[in-house]
Amino acid sequence: MMKRIKYLSVLALPVLLFGCASGSHVVTGQQRPEIEVDQVSAFVEAPAFDYEIIGSVRASSDNGFSEASRKEKATLEMREQAAKIGANGVILDGVTQLSFRRLGTGVGLAVGSGGGVGTSIGSSFSFPTAEVTGTAIYYESGVVKTL
């Protein structure tokens, strides 16, 4: 039994350490063909040159032990969402750091046909999460000043 618990903890550790990032996008302008994520620039404020708004993007990440690493992963996911709709730029609108957004507990009861009864109690939580939102834009290449 102890061997099994050790084995399961070794498998669960990477999931706890590496977490995940997720994102979404909403197209409000003219969608363009998908591009590579490394072609998407991130802007802290609206650029001075002309651009077209393609839509809005949102991403979150609970991947990492520091606020900076979670924000970096969420920003990368936001750029990936922008690339999917053909935007070559993202204006960062907001960053939110959430602490332990998901908590859960559970209780289980099992009755076997041979008369055996089993119970279990469990709980779960997540690491703090960074959420970023942005405006996906398209601009003519050749005029770029990014982060």
Side-chain angles (χ1 to χ4, degrees):
M1 180 67 169
M2 286 303 286
K3 194 175 196 178
R4 204 180 289 180
I5 291 173
K6 286 180 185 177
Y7 180 71
L8 289 175
S9 8
V10 168
L11 291 177
L13 186 61
V15 172
L16 291 174
L17 291 178
F18 297 112
C20 63
S22 63
S24 63
H25 58 267
V26 175
V27 177
T28 58
Q30 178 186 351
Q31 184 168 347
R32 298 178 178 274
E34 186 171 345
I35 62 173
E36 295 294 322
V37 71
D38 60 352
Q39 295 176 308
V40 180
S41 301
F43 300 91
V44 176
E45 56 188 42
F49 51 81
D50 291 334
Y51 57 87
E52 172 189 338
I53 295 177
I54 304 291
S56 62
V57 288
R58 171 181 297 268
S60 65
S61 175
D62 56 6
N63 184 353
F65 290 110
S66 69
E67 286 184 20
S69 65
R70 288 187 294 274
K71 179 184 172 190
E72 182 181 330
K73 302 287 190 225
T75 302
L76 175 61
E77 176 62 29
M78 184 175 63
R79 289 176 51 226
E80 288 175 5
Q81 292 298 318
K84 288 179 183 179
I85 58 175
N88 59 359
V90 175
I91 304 167
L92 187 62
D93 294 334
V95 177
T96 307
Q97 296 284 343
L98 302 172
S99 288
F100 299 100
R101 175 170 83 166
R102 296 175 287 250
L103 295 172
T105 59
V107 177
L109 175 66
V111 179
S113 60
V117 177
T119 61
S120 65
I121 298 174
S123 64
S124 68
F125 69 95
S126 71
F127 287 110
T129 302
E131 289 188 347
V132 293
T133 56
T135 303
I137 63 171
Y138 178 80
Y139 57 91
E140 293 300 321
S141 55
V143 221
V144 146
K145 280 203 166 213
T146 63
L147 293 174

